[in-house]
Amino acid sequence: MRFSFITLFRELMECYFQDSILKRAIEEELISIDFHNPRDYSKNRHKKVDAPKIGGGAGMLMTPQPLIDCIRDMKKEDSWVIFVTPAAKRFNQKDAKRLSQKRHLIFVSGRYEGIDERVIEKEADEVLSIGDFILTGGELAALCMTDAIARNIPGVLGNPDSLEEESFENSLLESPAFTKPNIFEGSFVPSEFLKGNHSKISALKKAMAIYRTNYYRPGLKA
Ligand code: SAM
């Protein structure tokens, strides 16, 4: 699967792929990544990509021409263009799974006070937010979504079973988990976990997952 990133700041993103699971996924050709700078497409003689808002308001917006030319230059028939913005539906685990079926995702990251709305109207297949807060740019949001999507691509995770036990499966948060030692600073691993009765352990995990979900995220929908 191919991930393309339209960004003014590729250096902020590249480092994320230089280690760990996504680095291995690139080496094993399960995913590929590429970066594109709208500034390279600007027809302005100073290569500007921003301008003041029309109608007033603080800050600058990314102008249509460089972005539109950049997107159209790289878009193919099987591409799916995602604009990351706080003014959108919140990305979730279901989206991560759905988008992991695509062949080519193009993430468009805004900067300044965002992007001229006409670019989004003309080019977006989808607009997604990572949460109800404002970042200085879309790069982190695009990386969050890419990471969550990539780990759903077969082969990217060493152990695919990890996906089934995680939070948001069955509309539940994951139950608390423990490792060695059995006693740490006076705190015990729940004794049922040590007895090896798998049906009792999974019943306990389910009960703890329900309790935790009701406490932190009542009404959670995956
Ligand atoms: N003025 C915009 C608003 O209030 O909706 C915020 C612009 S923000 C400073 C600049 C860019 O960061 C946005 O164009 C978007 O690409 C990105 N961004 C900021 N917060 C985000 C979020 N929660 N989810 C996704 N992208 C975000």
Side-chain angles (χ1 to χ4, degrees):
M1 177 167 174
R2 179 177 167 204
F3 293 88
S4 298
F5 303 100
I6 296 184
T7 169
L8 294 170
F9 296 99
R10 65 179 286 169
E11 302 78 13
L12 291 179
M13 305 187 81
E14 278 170 324
C15 53
Y16 195 69
F17 300 94
Q18 287 165 8
D19 221 325
S20 190
I21 287 175
L22 295 190
K23 178 186 179 201
R24 207 192 60 225
I26 293 169
E27 287 168 354
E28 291 177 2
E29 297 181 5
L30 297 166
I31 65 168
S32 68
I33 56 166
D34 43 87
F35 299 91
H36 307 265
N37 191 337
R39 205 178 290 287
D40 297 337
Y41 291 80
S42 175
K43 292 183 176 150
N44 176 280
R45 66 192 163 103
H46 301 297
K47 294 281 173 201
K48 267 177 77 76
V49 292
D50 61 321
K53 282 181 180 170
I54 295 176
M60 310 287 270
L61 283 184
M62 292 182 78
T63 53
Q65 177 273 315
L67 270 173
I68 294 251
D69 286 358
C70 180
I71 295 166
R72 289 184 184 164
D73 187 35
M74 51 184 310
K75 199 158 106 172
K76 306 274 179 302
E77 224 169 71
D78 60 1
S79 305
W80 187 256
V81 181
I82 299 171
F83 282 68
V84 298
T85 164
K89 170 194 135 34
R90 239 180 301 161
F91 175 82
N92 63 23
Q93 185 66 8
K94 258 193 187 156
D95 296 314
K97 288 192 174 169
R98 171 177 58 82
L99 293 168
S100 71
Q101 313 287 322
K102 303 274 184 203
R103 291 173 66 85
H104 180 207
L105 295 180
I106 301 176
F107 283 100
V108 186
S109 292
R111 277 272 154 179
Y112 315 113
E113 274 313 311
I115 294 175
D116 185 304
E117 191 64 26
R118 292 166 294 180
V119 184
I120 300 172
E121 272 170 19
K122 286 180 194 297
E123 297 299 331
D125 291 306
E126 190 160 3
V127 286
L128 289 169
S129 161
I130 58 163
D132 297 349
F133 47 83
I134 308 293
L135 300 163
T136 51
E139 288 76 12
L140 274 176
L143 284 175
C144 284
M145 293 183 207
T146 298
D147 187 301
I149 294 164
R151 64 205 302 289
N152 284 285
I153 296 171
V156 168
L157 286 188
N159 181 359
D161 291 347
S162 324
L163 288 170
E164 276 157 39
E165 290 181 3
E166 283 177 321
S167 294
F168 311 116
E169 293 301 320
N170 311 314
S171 304
L172 289 175
L173 300 179
E174 189 184 50
S175 73
F178 305 89
T179 181
K180 291 180 180 172
N182 294 352
I183 307 170
F184 177 72
E185 292 185 350
S187 299
F188 291 75
V189 169
S191 58
E192 205 62 67
F193 279 44
L194 305 172
K195 293 183 192 156
N197 182 330
H198 292 290
S199 67
K200 281 195 173 168
I201 292 172
S202 67
L204 179 59
K205 280 186 178 173
K206 177 95 186 275
M208 289 196 291
I210 291 169
Y211 184 80
R212 180 185 257 183
T213 307
N214 288 341
Y215 187 79
Y216 286 116
R217 297 287 302 277
L220 176 73
K221 295 216 169 38

